[in-house]
Amino acid sequence: MNAKQGMKRAEGLTIVVPVFNEAAGLAALHAKLMSLATRLRDQRGLKLEIVYVDDGSRDDSFAIARSLPADAADVQALSLSRNFGKEAALLAGLDHARMGAILFMDGDGQHPPELAEKLVALWQDEHYDVAYTAKAHREEEPVTRQLSAKIFYRVLNFNARQPIPEDAGDFRLLSPRAADALRQMPERNRFFKGLSSWIGFRQIRVPYEPAPRAHGASSWNIGALLGLSIEGLTAFSAAPLRIASLLGVLLSATAFLFGSWILFETIVLGRGVPGYPSVMVAIMVIGGVQLLVLGVMGEYIAKILSELKRRPSYFVAESELRELDSTKKPVSREAAE
Ligand code: UDP
Ligand code: MG
């Protein structure tokens, strides 16, 4: 992977598309991307490359991806050795991109290619380094989800020098220098929304309305969302640890006051301590809080461990590159009919 970091990249744009069980819509998406590539080439002379990263799909997404025609842009198809998760798929795309600028776009058709043109304009005409899209509003989501998102960003950005923008999606364009900065991040645990804001440079928010999923179902469930949230929190914020310490201080202070009062009652007022309920409450509160704080520390220790192991974030099982002018030199095309 390090060799790829030093690699010299061509002037142009690579669109990275993570693909997990998207066989049903891949061809339609590719057709749209090809017409986008044609427009960008005609209007701006911009060279395009599409990188499909198959994240261990169980359907024939990869077979489809590798047989898609390179009509208007270079096409790379990578398949990872198993399902590593979307963030790892994005990293694989970032590493294998052959053009300087990067556009991350979902493979389920929720990210409109038309908006991509606007992002390209912001980069090329107005020289922004990071153009990220964000959901214009969340009213249609359940209240509990809205609330948990609010709390998540509040804790995440607690005391942060470079706050991570709320509701930003993974649909974003990075200029060559921003993409390079992203590649220099040494950590294994990736939280791209956070990282691409953390690097700085000139950032701009583009509000948009995600299209409904064209087919299939979102692969995020409560567990996966919770996992990503913990991932984001522990990667970008020490606030949970700080909250834990504050809680400790608060409880100790209360315990001290309460203890003094009991002593006063026993010694000065001469009252026996009836005590059972209060003792039980104290034991339960302290026991609960200790477990909670231990759990929070455990999350950070788990993170330290996984960074220490320095395992690669993904393995590529197969890859295929089809260049735009491949009409001249035939490329291996076993998967074609
Ligand atoms: N994805 C992936 N690996 C996974 C899960 C999802 O590469 O383990 C891809 C998926 O194919 C899609 C994108 O990530 O292109 C977003 O996934 P999804 O639509 O399920 O998420 P949502 O749009 O609901 O956030
Ligand atoms: Mg989606």
Side-chain angles (χ1 to χ4, degrees):
M1 235 163 14
N2 281 339
K4 295 237 161 57
Q5 262 176 26
M7 169 172 145
K8 187 96 188 74
R9 289 180 166 82
E11 231 167 84
L13 174 69
T14 294
I15 301 185
V16 173
V17 184
V19 172
F20 180 59
N21 297 340
E22 307 282 6
L26 213 50
L29 176 72
H30 188 70
K32 282 195 199 159
L33 289 180
M34 285 300 117
S35 70
L36 172 72
T38 312
R39 285 198 301 275
L40 288 176
R41 196 185 44 195
D42 295 349
Q43 289 163 12
R44 301 175 174 273
L46 188 65
K47 265 190 76 176
L48 231 70
E49 173 194 46
I50 321 280
V51 179
Y52 293 103
V53 184
D54 170 37
D55 184 19
S57 297
R58 282 179 287 272
D59 61 9
D60 44 3
S61 293
F62 182 62
I64 295 175
R66 74 188 309 184
S67 64
L68 292 171
D71 298 335
D74 296 352
V75 178
Q76 273 195 71
L78 304 176
S79 86
L80 304 187
S81 59
R82 63 169 168 85
N83 179 245
F84 282 94
K86 181 177 177 184
E87 308 282 322
L90 294 180
L91 179 63
L94 185 68
D95 287 340
H96 288 80
R98 289 154 59 247
M99 307 289 170
I102 302 279
L103 175 67
F104 292 123
M105 185 188 263
D106 278 4
D108 59 4
Q110 285 190 289
H111 294 163
E114 304 78 58
L115 191 53
E117 285 183 84
K118 184 167 170 193
L119 299 183
V120 169
L122 285 169
W123 158 51
Q124 289 214 311
D125 304 341
E126 298 184 40
H127 308 291
Y128 280 101
D129 290 289
V130 180
Y132 62 90
T133 62
K135 282 189 201 160
H137 46 74
R138 283 178 167 260
E139 278 93 55
E140 73 299 339
E141 289 182 6
V143 183
T144 45
R145 179 118 181 223
Q146 288 179 36
L147 195 71
S148 42
K150 266 254 140 33
I151 295 173
F152 172 71
Y153 281 101
R154 200 44 74 74
V155 178
L156 186 64
N157 289 329
F158 178 74
N159 247 343
R161 220 180 286 261
Q162 171 84 354
I164 295 170
E166 252 179 70
D167 303 342
D170 279 317
F171 186 24
R172 64 182 63 227
L173 189 143
L174 299 148
S175 72
R177 62 178 185 178
D180 259 345
L182 215 52
R183 282 188 198 99
Q184 285 172 34
M185 298 291 181
E187 57 249 76
R188 311 276 128 169
N189 293 299
R190 295 271 166 170
F191 182 62
F192 271 104
K193 290 177 213 205
L195 289 177
S196 39
S197 147
W198 190 89
I199 56 172
F201 297 111
R202 299 189 65 217
Q203 310 233 347
I204 186 167
R205 175 190 177 107
V206 181
Y208 90 114
E209 208 68 63
R213 231 173 186 285
H215 60 91
S218 168
S219 37
W220 295 102
N221 50 31
I222 281 286
L225 274 178
L226 204 66
L228 186 69
S229 307
I230 292 177
E231 177 70 51
L233 274 183
T234 50
F236 279 92
S237 162
L241 289 176
R242 219 158 286 158
I243 294 171
S245 340
L246 278 180
L247 210 62
V249 169
L250 208 73
L251 265 185
S252 327
T254 321
F256 179 74
L257 288 180
F258 189 48
S260 315
W261 168 246
I262 291 175
L263 277 183
F264 179 78
E265 255 191 332
T266 321
I267 297 168
V268 181
L269 302 182
R271 265 192 233 146
V273 186
Y276 181 68
S278 50
V279 170
M280 279 317 282
V281 169
I283 289 178
M284 277 156 62
V285 168
I286 293 179
V289 169
Q290 279 181 336
L291 284 181
L292 183 87
V293 171
L294 269 180
V296 170
M297 300 223 288
E299 287 295 339
Y300 283 89
I301 293 176
K303 166 132 293 177
I304 296 171
L305 182 64
S306 87
E307 294 291 339
L308 261 183
K309 284 190 282 195
R310 302 199 64 74
R311 286 188 184 156
S313 308
Y314 62 86
F315 290 108
V316 175
E318 280 176 85
S319 69
E320 180 156 315
L321 166 67
R322 182 162 302 133
E323 289 189 76
L324 178 53
D325 50 357
S326 62
T327 36
K328 287 165 228 148
K329 45 182 169 70
V331 195
S332 64
R333 223 184 143 162
E334 311 94 277
E337 328 51 48

